[in-house]
Amino acid sequence: MHERGGNIWCVAIYGVRGVRDKGAPAFRSLYVIWGPMIRLDTISKHNGHRVIFIDASAALQKGEKVGLVGPNGAGKTTLFRLITGQEEPDEGQVLIERGLTVGFFNQDVGEMAGRSAVAEVMDGAGPVAAIGAELSQLESAMADPDRFDELDIILERFGEVQSRFEELGGYALEGRAREVLHGLGFSQEMMDGDVGRLSGGWKMRVALARILLMKPDVMLLDEPSNHLDLESLIWLEQFLAGYDGALLMTSHDRAFMNRIINKVIEIDGGVLSSFSGDYEFYEQQRALNEKQQQAQFERQQAMLAKEVAFIERFKARASHAAQVQSRVKKLDKIDRIEPPKRRQTLAFTFPPAPRSGDAVVNLRGVDKAYGSRVIYHDLDLLIRRQERCCVLGINGAGKSTLLKLVTGTIEPDAGTVTLGGSVKMGYFAQHAMDLLDGNLTIFETLNNAFPLASQGVLRSLAGSFGFSGDDIDKLCRVLSGGEKARLVLAMMLFDPPNFLVLDEPTNHLDLATKEMLITALADYDGTMLFVSHDRHFLAALSNRVLELTPEGLHRYDGGYTEYVARTGREAPGLHE
């Protein structure tokens, strides 16, 4: 069985590549193996002249939860496509256990329309979904007067199908589908509404829910944490931690990955390296390995320099000819140790921001409603200089609305929003990325924003945000979501405001860029008001928490870590 739909790839795999089973499906050929569920055996893959994998090997064992890591462009998505058969390796083999069911989630959402979110999710539940569809057709056939003469055959088949449907837990399927959708943040109204009316981010949650409901033998999840709010992220974390199948996933959320995985497969320079343990252990082990390799390299270089110096000193003396020749041969036979690969590290330092007054923004008696839905009533809030306020609240609590009120993007229905003296504001929101001119290159965009800056300064700025070499000549219309976010952040932070308002600034950012941003913002001496679902970002940067609840705004002195310790929960809406 295999089916494709939007961003879901679900397949039961039977056959063999090379020596094929007679019953193997035609869409791809695979080797039957025993042992690991999935094995990559000395695979090589090129994209034009670019080497993606070279003699790379790795395995996914039953019950393993593996984080796939590596710099942008290293080949993480290509690896998923090789496993699902959407691409073939140039050399080597992708080995899949016979009869394995694989669910693949990625960011490419296909067309979804014409049925409810619940129906869309149930459709991806594997064999039980097909049996449920047949059961529904048989029910219609039994009520069709034109097929009365077939009733005995239909009834017999209905009994067989119904029995199988019950055996597979089909009657509980809708309840399970609703439970998964609820965990991912859907209201009952959204579950039952036309899925075609949902935004791209919510459609991604529907596609993810299909995989989770199916519970295949192996889940391949490419950035499942994107587009999720904090509550949904924590629910997914708990779901995956309790999932008893094998898991291979990527994520730019280190806290999310760290709590789920028990193994890391790293892609670097076309090679796959495996590390047992969580993401934190992987980082420590990788740093230790680099340190040891550097020490071995330096020791060998010192030894080689000593031997070369001896050869140079005595090569012209006949009395030392034998010794010189012996050492030359020795050098030829030595396996040279390579220095550790140095990943590109992004670094950005803020120019000093101008000082603002002590009162940065003051909201007095603010009301805000959308139709009959009241978001704020008589809200009072004062944000002071150098406070770093993170805003927490369940979906619809008004987090983005608060940021829009503060930035003047929307007006309150009643009350006042007043900026303090000498406040220079910078506002990052997702719509800011849509305002980039697609016909301009990255460099032209920066040059238009800062016409007085030199080319060298602008190239240095671009490099700090991950745009090096020819990247700076990319047109904005071909940039990924992460690249657009980096460009907007670069423009906002080059001439820094003293009041930063950030709405999900880490969406689409990879781990390296997040770390750069956290490091830069940790040294920022201005004021911050921000919303983020990234717990590492929240813990590293906040010193005050504003929690939006149905009862009103609760304020907590101390950052996100203190909030968790005090409340016993990581997000509003979660039980203690």
Side-chain angles (χ1 to χ4, degrees):
M1 177 198 87
H2 68 285
E3 55 179 279
R4 296 285 297 276
N7 66 342
I8 184 171
W9 173 275
C10 167
V11 59
I13 297 172
Y14 309 97
V16 188
R17 181 185 293 125
V19 183
R20 269 189 63 184
D21 276 1
K22 290 180 182 177
F27 74 96
R28 65 180 295 199
S29 45
L30 301 157
Y31 284 95
V32 177
I33 63 167
W34 291 266
M37 302 179 86
I38 295 174
R39 191 165 84 235
L40 306 168
D41 188 12
T42 57
I43 60 168
S44 294
K45 182 72 177 175
H46 298 76
N47 185 357
H49 295 295
R50 191 166 75 90
V51 176
I52 301 175
F53 297 111
I54 180 161
D55 291 335
S57 297
L60 179 64
Q61 307 281 356
K62 187 171 183 178
E64 283 186 332
K65 294 184 170 70
V66 180
L68 184 62
V69 304
N72 273 355
K76 297 188 289 291
T77 299
T78 300
L79 190 67
F80 283 131
R81 294 176 66 84
L82 288 170
I83 292 172
T84 56
Q86 294 166 277
E87 292 188 28
E88 297 283 333
D90 299 330
E91 296 175 15
Q93 304 160 357
V94 179
L95 311 174
I96 311 285
E97 183 182 311
R98 179 190 293 274
L100 201 70
T101 54
V102 179
F104 177 38
F105 167 83
N106 66 15
Q107 300 294 307
D108 298 324
V109 175
E111 286 301 316
M112 291 184 187
R115 55 183 171 182
S116 68
V118 169
E120 189 74 37
V121 170
M122 290 170 64
D123 187 57
V128 68
I131 293 167
E134 185 180 355
L135 199 63
S136 179
Q137 291 168 0
L138 290 167
E139 286 172 347
S140 299
M142 285 190 293
D144 187 350
D146 294 337
R147 301 187 64 180
F148 186 74
D149 56 339
E150 303 174 60
L151 190 57
D152 288 345
I153 298 171
I154 293 170
L155 282 170
E156 183 180 355
R157 179 60 183 160
F158 181 83
E160 293 170 357
V161 174
Q162 187 180 46
S163 175
R164 181 64 177 145
F165 192 64
E166 286 177 350
E167 185 183 320
L168 292 172
Y171 286 110
L173 190 64
E174 182 174 342
R176 286 170 46 217
R178 289 183 180 276
E179 184 182 336
V180 170
L181 285 169
H182 177 71
L184 292 177
F186 283 76
S187 65
Q188 293 297 325
E189 183 181 358
M190 292 171 71
M191 292 182 204
D192 295 320
D194 187 340
V195 71
R197 296 198 187 100
L198 297 176
S199 68
W202 285 100
K203 285 179 179 176
M204 282 189 187
R205 296 192 196 202
V206 171
L208 177 59
R210 294 182 71 177
I211 300 289
L212 302 182
L213 181 66
M214 174 193 165
K215 284 197 173 178
D217 299 320
V218 176
M219 283 192 204
L220 308 177
L221 305 180
D222 194 4
E223 294 296 340
S225 52
N226 275 3
H227 300 283
L228 297 184
D229 54 73
L230 188 52
E231 292 76 24
S232 300
L233 193 65
I234 293 168
W235 178 88
L236 178 60
E237 182 180 282
Q238 293 167 347
F239 183 98
L240 293 176
Y243 165 62
D244 58 7
L247 172 67
L248 179 66
M249 72 173 208
T250 62
S251 176
H252 291 156
D253 188 316
R254 59 184 293 154
F256 174 75
M257 188 184 291
N258 202 46
R259 297 186 188 195
I260 296 168
I261 64 172
N262 52 30
K263 178 179 174 181
V264 169
I265 293 177
E266 177 194 59
I267 308 176
D268 197 7
V271 176
L272 296 173
S273 304
S274 296
F275 299 78
S276 294
D278 58 18
Y279 185 80
E280 201 169 289
F281 174 80
Y282 152 73
E283 280 197 316
Q284 294 167 355
Q285 193 61 44
R286 191 180 195 282
L288 180 62
N289 291 351
E290 280 189 359
K291 187 175 179 181
Q292 290 173 343
Q293 188 176 345
Q294 181 67 31
Q296 290 171 349
F297 171 73
E298 289 174 0
R299 280 197 298 271
Q300 189 182 67
Q301 290 298 303
M303 182 273 291
L304 292 174
K306 188 176 178 182
E307 294 295 320
V308 169
F310 180 92
I311 292 167
E312 288 297 316
R313 183 179 176 187
F314 295 109
K315 65 182 178 181
R317 297 188 188 180
S319 60
H320 288 74
Q323 288 175 283
V324 167
Q325 193 61 31
S326 172
R327 296 199 182 199
V328 168
K329 288 179 180 177
K330 177 184 171 183
L331 289 184
D332 288 340
K333 292 177 182 177
I334 289 175
D335 288 332
R336 302 302 168 103
I337 296 171
E338 295 293 325
K341 296 186 184 80
R342 298 296 181 192
R343 284 196 182 166
Q344 179 190 9
T345 53
L346 305 178
F348 176 78
T349 304
F350 276 97
R355 183 187 170 110
S356 71
D358 286 339
V360 174
V361 63
N362 195 1
L363 287 77
R364 300 292 300 274
V366 166
D367 291 353
K368 187 62 188 177
Y370 297 107
S372 60
R373 187 163 153 259
V374 176
I375 306 297
Y376 294 112
H377 175 63
D378 200 26
L379 172 66
D380 291 333
L381 173 64
L382 174 63
I383 296 175
R384 297 180 179 85
R385 188 174 73 85
Q386 292 190 325
E387 284 186 334
R388 298 158 173 262
C389 303
C390 69
V391 185
L392 303 180
I394 62 171
N395 259 343
K399 299 188 292 294
S400 291
T401 298
L402 178 61
L403 269 55
K404 288 175 182 176
L405 286 166
V406 166
T407 57
T409 308
I410 59 173
E411 294 292 326
D413 300 331
T416 59
V417 179
T418 308
L419 289 181
S422 304
V423 170
K424 177 186 176 186
M425 185 190 301
Y427 178 35
F428 177 92
Q430 297 305 307
H431 74 263
M433 295 187 286
D434 299 329
L435 301 179
L436 295 171
D437 187 335
N439 294 317
L440 295 181
T441 66
I442 291 171
F443 182 79
E444 288 168 344
T445 301
L446 293 174
N447 196 44
N448 285 358
F450 309 110
L452 299 181
S454 69
Q455 278 204 18
V457 167
L458 293 182
R459 287 185 179 276
S460 176
L461 172 65
S464 297
F465 283 82
F467 302 112
S468 57
D470 294 339
D471 286 346
I472 204 167
D473 296 320
K474 279 185 180 178
L475 289 172
C476 288
R477 67 166 172 264
V478 304
L479 299 181
S480 67
E483 287 172 324
K484 287 179 180 177
R486 282 190 272 132
L487 179 54
V488 171
L489 285 167
M491 289 192 291
M492 187 173 75
L493 301 179
F494 179 64
D495 181 19
N498 51 31
F499 181 32
L500 285 175
V501 182
L502 309 172
D503 194 355
E504 295 288 4
T506 60
N507 269 4
H508 306 292
L509 296 185
D510 61 27
L511 285 164
T513 310
K514 279 186 186 180
E515 287 301 322
M516 178 275 287
L517 188 59
I518 287 171
T519 301
L521 291 174
D523 293 331
Y524 171 65
D525 60 358
T527 306
M528 289 173 58
L529 176 67
F530 63 98
V531 173
S532 176
H533 66 252
D534 189 297
R535 285 161 288 178
H536 180 53
F537 190 86
L538 291 169
L541 295 175
S542 59
N543 61 22
R544 190 182 184 200
V545 175
L546 305 176
E547 181 186 34
L548 304 177
T549 74
E551 295 77 39
L553 176 66
H554 296 295
R555 301 160 176 84
Y556 295 87
D557 291 329
Y560 176 73
T561 303
E562 288 82 2
Y563 165 83
V564 173
R566 188 178 303 180
T567 63
R569 60 179 184 267
E570 293 186 285
L574 297 180
H575 297 295
E576 298 184 18

